[in-house]
Amino acid sequence: RETVATRTAELMKLAEEQTALTARAEAANNAKSVFLANMSHELRTPLNAIIGFGELIAEDATEPTSREDAARIVTAGRHLLALINDLLDHAKVDSGRVDLESILFDPAALTRDTIDTVRPMADDRKVKLHADVATSLGHAETDGFRIKQCLLNLLSNAIKFSPEGAVTLQTRRESADGRDWLVFAVRDTGIGMNDEQMARLFQPFAQAEASTTRRFGGTGLGLAISRGYAQLMGGDISVESKPGVGSTFTLRTSALLNPTELRQAA
C-alpha cells in the first residue's frame, strides 16, 4: 500500500507538472499570435512605402538599368508583403482575432470576379480557366470577402501546380443538416497527391513534401488560413486527389452567417 501510495503521488505530481507546462506553452503561443496580429500596421506600412517608391522610380527612370533595378525592388517587396500577409492572417486565425462580416452578395458574381483576378497568373502558366456556375445560386449573406480570399488561395495553388493544364471553379448551392450551404469546388489537372501528402496539407508551414517548396515556393500557410476561415463561417475545406491525375479542393460555407457564429469568431 505504501508503494502504491508513493507511486500515485509521483504520478499526480508529474501530471500537475505536465499541466503547468502545457498551460505555459499555450500562453506563449497565444502571446506570439496576439503579437503578430497586432504588428499588422507596423509591418505593412513601411513595406508598402518601399513598394510605392520603387514603382515611382521605375516610372521616372530614363536608363534601362535603373528601371530594371527598381522593378526588382518592387517584385521583391511584393513577394515579402505576400509572406507577411500570410503570417499575419495565420496569427489572426490562430489567436481568434478574426472579424467576420455578414454582407449580402451574389455568389455567381463573386465566382466570376475571382476567376478574373487569377486569370493573368493562369495565362502566364498557360493554364485554361473555367467557371461552372449553377443557375439558381441566388444571394447569400455571409463574409464574401473571406470566401473570396479562400478561393484565391485555392485557385492560385491549383494554377501553380497545373502548368499548361486546366483549372475549374464550380459553384453550387446545397441544403443539408437544416442549413443552406455554398459549395465551391476547385478542380485541377495538376501533379496530384497521395494519402500521406494530403495528411500534411492543412498543417501550418507544411506542404505536401519538401521538394514542393523548392520547386513551387510558398509558405505553406494558405491552406491552413483558408480552412480556418471556412470553419469560422460554419464550414470546412476537404480534398480529393490522385498522383498524376489532379486534385479537387471543396470549400463549404454557410450561406447565412448567423449572429452566434459572428460572436464566436470575434
Side-chain angles (χ1 to χ4, degrees):
R1 284 197 294 269
E2 290 178 358
T3 301
V4 171
T6 301
R7 184 56 179 161
T8 300
E10 291 175 351
L11 290 174
M12 291 181 64
K13 182 179 180 181
L14 183 62
E16 291 174 356
E17 291 176 351
Q18 184 62 44
T19 300
L21 289 173
T22 300
R24 288 172 60 186
E26 291 177 351
N29 184 63
N30 289 336
K32 175 264 300 178
S33 297
V34 171
F35 170 76
L36 286 175
N38 289 333
M39 286 294 290
S40 173
H41 178 75
E42 286 73 9
L43 290 172
R44 287 181 172 132
T45 299
L47 190 52
N48 280 321
I50 292 171
I51 294 171
F53 281 116
E55 291 172 340
L56 289 175
I57 294 172
E59 291 175 1
D60 296 339
T62 57
E63 297 180 1
T65 302
S66 298
R67 285 198 299 269
E68 291 174 2
D69 289 343
R72 292 190 184 98
I73 293 173
V74 172
T75 300
R78 287 175 178 168
H79 179 67
L80 181 57
L81 182 60
L83 297 179
I84 290 174
N85 285 337
D86 280 350
L87 285 170
L88 294 174
D89 286 342
H90 172 66
K92 286 182 178 180
V93 172
D94 196 37
S95 63
R97 298 168 65 90
V98 178
D99 297 323
L100 295 180
E101 293 186 17
S102 184
I103 300 174
L104 189 68
F105 68 95
D106 182 356
L110 183 143
T111 299
R112 291 189 290 269
D113 183 55
T114 306
I115 286 288
D116 289 340
T117 301
V118 299
R119 192 172 298 282
M121 178 182 179
D123 291 341
D124 287 342
R125 290 164 174 76
K126 299 180 181 179
V127 175
K128 296 179 180 178
L129 276 180
H130 306 283
D132 181 7
V133 183
T135 57
S136 57
L137 281 178
H139 285 77
E141 191 170 355
T142 181
D143 197 326
F145 176 81
R146 300 296 181 189
I147 290 176
K148 184 177 181 180
Q149 190 172 353
C150 294
L151 292 178
L152 287 174
N153 277 328
L154 296 178
L155 286 168
S156 297
N157 281 345
I159 293 169
K160 182 167 63 174
F161 296 122
S162 306
E164 299 185 7
V167 173
T168 300
L169 172 57
Q170 182 192 61
T171 305
R172 63 184 187 274
R173 198 160 185 151
E174 294 180 353
S175 294
D177 303 323
R179 300 186 68 174
D180 198 13
W181 300 91
L182 290 177
V183 183
F184 304 88
V186 178
R187 297 187 176 91
D188 66 61
T189 59
I191 59 177
M193 296 168 288
N194 57 35
D195 292 341
E196 183 180 353
Q197 291 169 331
M198 286 190 287
R200 294 193 294 268
L201 273 183
F202 297 100
Q203 298 176 15
F205 305 103
Q207 292 191 344
E209 56 183 13
S211 61
T212 301
T213 304
R214 291 193 297 270
R215 182 180 174 190
F216 297 99
T219 60
L221 284 174
L223 289 177
I225 293 168
S226 298
R227 185 174 224 180
Y229 286 151
Q231 291 174 344
L232 286 173
M233 291 185 285
D236 204 351
I237 295 178
S238 59
V239 58
E240 297 177 1
S241 185
K242 290 184 179 180
V245 177
S247 306
T248 300
F249 285 83
T250 303
L251 165 67
R252 287 171 56 89
T253 69
S254 174
L256 177 63
L257 197 63
N258 62 50
T260 302
E261 289 169 331
L262 284 173
R263 285 195 298 272
Q264 290 173 348

